[in-house]
Amino acid sequence: MNTVASELAASIRSIPDYPKPGIIFRDITTLLGDARAFRRAVDALVQPYAGTKIDKVAGMEARGFILGGAVAHQLSAGFVPIRKKGKLPHETVRIAYSLEYGVDEMEMHRDAVNAGEKVVLVDDLIATGGTAVGATQLLRQMGAEVVAACFVIDLPDLGGRKKLEELNVPVHTLVEFSGH
């Protein structure tokens, strides 16, 4: 693990047996509360796309809003919130996506992206990939080009990264944690 990854990993709180026994919850609120770690994470998420034309950054509810807004600002791009069903006030498009234990729906405003716009998808963590795959499909349904997905944390044992890569979405992560 490189120095930045080690520092970021040290700023993430691990909570055993949450939300259920056997799961280790990776809590980034401690990273967000540490100004240096937050800045380093945002800089590291932005770095691969600096100097390239990115039209929008799409962030998934809720921690993806925090990170995605900061990344969009740094890239001088617009920000697109992808939310749970029923939270957006204007005309929306919606997609069902798989969760580890069921199905949910997410949506975005119909006019949030235009056909051909280059979009980077941002969230705090990639686990099974259901939410990120759903968001990618939603963005593509509206004609956007998802040029990459980036996450602070990768849980590679759960296979989400592979699912995105199978959709030809390059994945950029900062810290890997083994196990759940």
Side-chain angles (χ1 to χ4, degrees), residues 25-29 31-32 38 41-42 45-46 56-73 75 77-84 106 119-126 131-132 135 139 148-153:
F25 186 84
R26 306 300 179 172
D27 178 18
I28 69 156
T29 61
L31 178 148
L32 297 173
F38 185 29
V42 171
L45 292 171
V46 166
K56 303 278 175 66
V57 172
M60 294 174 287
E61 190 166 347
R63 290 169 298 276
F65 292 179
I66 299 163
L67 294 163
V71 169
H73 172 76
L75 292 174
F79 179 75
V80 177
I82 298 180
R83 303 216 51 194
K84 294 176 183 166
M106 68 177 87
V119 178
V120 172
L121 186 63
V122 176
D123 205 358
D124 66 324
L125 178 141
I126 180 81
T131 306
L139 289 160
C150 55
F151 307 88
V152 173
I153 300 168

Side-chain angles (χ1 to χ4, degrees), residues 45 49 52-60 68 71-72 75 77-82 108-109 111-123 132 135-150 164 168-171:
L45 292 171
Y49 318 106
T52 63
K53 175 68 172 123
I54 302 298
D55 299 297
K56 303 278 175 66
V57 172
M60 294 174 287
V71 169
L75 292 174
F79 179 75
V80 177
I82 298 180
M108 65 184 216
H109 281 136
D111 60 0
V113 295
N114 296 311
E117 284 189 316
K118 296 183 182 309
V119 178
V120 172
L121 186 63
V122 176
D123 205 358
T136 297
Q137 292 169 336
L138 186 61
L139 289 160
R140 286 179 172 172
Q141 176 183 316
M142 298 310 297
E145 179 188 344
V146 180
V147 298
C150 55
L164 280 174
N168 296 312
V169 176
V171 177

Side-chain angles (χ1 to χ4, degrees), residues 77-98:
F79 179 75
V80 177
I82 298 180
R83 303 216 51 194
K84 294 176 183 166
K85 183 175 96 172
K87 301 286 185 181
L88 293 170
H90 192 56
E91 187 178 342
T92 60
V93 290
R94 180 179 305 148
I95 193 165
Y97 65 100
S98 298

Side-chain angles (χ1 to χ4, degrees), residues 15-37:
I15 302 169
D17 299 320
Y18 182 84
K20 61 184 220 169
I23 303 290
I24 301 172
F25 186 84
R26 306 300 179 172
D27 178 18
I28 69 156
T29 61
T30 47
L31 178 148
L32 297 173
D34 176 335
R36 179 180 162 88

